[in-house]
Amino acid sequence: AQGLNTLSEQALEIARGVENETSIYLIGAEENYRENTIYSNYGLEYSQVANLAERMQEANSKIHVEFIDPDTDPQFISDRAEDYLTTGKVLVETEKRSKVLTVNDLFSLQQDETTYQTVGYSMVDSALAAAIESVNLDKVPIVAVATGHNELLNSSSRTALDSLLEEENFDVQEVNLLTDEIPEDTQVLMLPTPTTDYTEEELQKMRDFLSKDGPMVDRTLFVTCHPTQGELPKFAGFLEEWGVKVEEGVVAETDTSRVFSTNASYIFADSAEEVLKD
């Protein structure tokens, strides 16, 4: 009745548009999926993973679904050791590339504030569709994250952001502008709150990236700042070249109907994810 085993129109459109042979490997015994015994302590309807994958297979003969039981097919798991495949994960693969979905990609696990129990909300439809789209792209756009300047927003504190970008089919790569070139297919160059200033050579790489002609039309410089990062005159001057000046301030959503939480210590806007996508 809730349509949990029915593909959305968007997912169906993506499945129908697949032109490459695409395999969806469901890691685990088939009966464990059918009987919802995978992560059963969270009450997840894991059968939905199998059902929606099979709906995609029905929509396009180039999509193939296969159950891989680690106990009876250890060689498959061993051959893909770098993917750390375990029961409940999903491997989506073409000749171009592969992508692994975990339980956290397929379901949003949240704690009920009343019962303190972990509750799972399905994201299976969108996760499978995004994975299929990603492995069929001719080129995956890159988010290049600049490093080498003691960035406050480092890899350990970017986990949620990186996951969101990867869900949107970006390839997140770290690049040291002092020693590395910006990858060719970079669509977004992120400067994650540097605390030491850039060299003129690094700034020129950024200028070249933003003004470069080529097939990747959309190029974005994504900058984050914090009051504690100190004075960075060269960085500030570079931003001003593009009409940007960093100032301290507070931005908050005052309409309580549009926030996830009204706790004074943190306010998350309901539209935050869409703002990031835009």
Side-chain angles (χ1 to χ4, degrees), residues 178-229:
L178 275 171
T179 57
D180 305 328
E181 296 299 323
I182 299 173
E184 182 66 27
D185 295 321
T186 297
Q187 185 168 330
V188 180
L189 175 61
M190 181 179 181
L191 309 181
T193 321
T195 58
T196 61
D197 215 347
Y198 293 101
T199 65
E200 185 57 38
E201 182 182 358
E202 290 174 296
L203 295 177
Q204 189 57 50
K205 286 183 180 180
M206 297 182 205
R207 294 186 186 101
D208 293 342
F209 164 74
L210 291 172
S211 59
K212 183 178 179 181
D213 293 329
M216 189 66 71
V217 177
D218 296 324
R219 291 187 177 85
T220 300
L221 189 68
F222 179 15
V223 180
T224 60
C225 298
H226 192 273
T228 62
Q229 71 189 121

Side-chain angles (χ1 to χ4, degrees), residues 70-269:
D71 293 331
T72 58
D73 194 353
Q75 189 62 49
F76 183 95
I77 305 300
S78 177
D79 290 343
R80 294 164 175 79
E82 69 280 1
D83 292 323
Y84 301 101
L85 298 176
T86 55
T87 294
K89 290 185 177 181
V90 176
L91 172 65
V92 183
E93 188 175 64
T94 63
E95 288 186 350
K96 297 179 179 181
R97 66 188 66 85
S98 64
K99 184 168 185 176
V100 177
L101 300 175
T102 69
V103 61
N104 293 307
D105 298 313
L106 298 165
F107 297 89
S108 174
L109 301 178
Q110 301 176 20
Q111 188 177 62
D112 189 293
E113 294 183 1
T114 303
T115 64
Y116 298 104
Q117 293 182 329
T118 300
V119 181
Y121 300 94
S122 175
M123 300 188 297
V124 177
D125 179 276
S126 58
L128 287 175
I132 284 180
E133 185 176 45
S134 175
V135 300
N136 278 280
L137 290 173
D138 290 329
K139 289 185 177 182
V140 177
I142 294 172
V143 174
V145 183
T147 64
H149 290 272
N150 297 322
E151 287 78 9
L152 294 180
L153 193 57
N154 53 36
S155 57
S156 61
S157 56
R158 278 198 333 265
T159 304
L161 175 60
D162 288 358
S163 296
L164 176 60
L165 291 169
E166 289 167 355
E167 287 172 9
E168 296 302 317
N169 291 329
F170 284 99
D171 179 11
V172 180
Q173 298 183 14
E174 291 193 341
V175 56
N176 189 321
L177 294 177
L178 275 171
T179 57
D180 305 328
E181 296 299 323
I182 299 173
E184 182 66 27
D185 295 321
T186 297
Q187 185 168 330
V188 180
L189 175 61
M190 181 179 181
L191 309 181
T193 321
T195 58
T196 61
D197 215 347
Y198 293 101
T199 65
E200 185 57 38
E201 182 182 358
E202 290 174 296
L203 295 177
Q204 189 57 50
K205 286 183 180 180
M206 297 182 205
R207 294 186 186 101
D208 293 342
F209 164 74
L210 291 172
S211 59
K212 183 178 179 181
D213 293 329
M216 189 66 71
V217 177
D218 296 324
R219 291 187 177 85
T220 300
L221 189 68
F222 179 15
V223 180
T224 60
C225 298
H226 192 273
T228 62
Q229 71 189 121
E231 295 293 328
L232 306 175
K234 290 184 178 180
F235 178 42
F238 169 75
L239 293 180
E240 289 181 3
E241 293 176 19
W242 299 90
V244 177
K245 183 178 181 181
V246 178
E247 296 181 346
E248 291 186 32
V250 175
V251 177
E253 175 60 74
T254 57
D255 183 349
T256 56
S257 68
R258 295 174 58 84
V259 300
F260 291 123
S261 173
T262 55
N263 186 309
S265 64
Y266 56 89
I267 299 179
F268 297 129

Side-chain angles (χ1 to χ4, degrees), residues 4-5 33 36 38 42-49 107 122 124:
L4 294 180
N5 296 307
Y33 280 86
N36 293 316
I38 301 175
Y42 294 135
L44 301 180
E45 295 284 341
Y46 235 83
S47 58
Q48 186 188 10
V49 179
F107 297 89
S122 175
V124 177

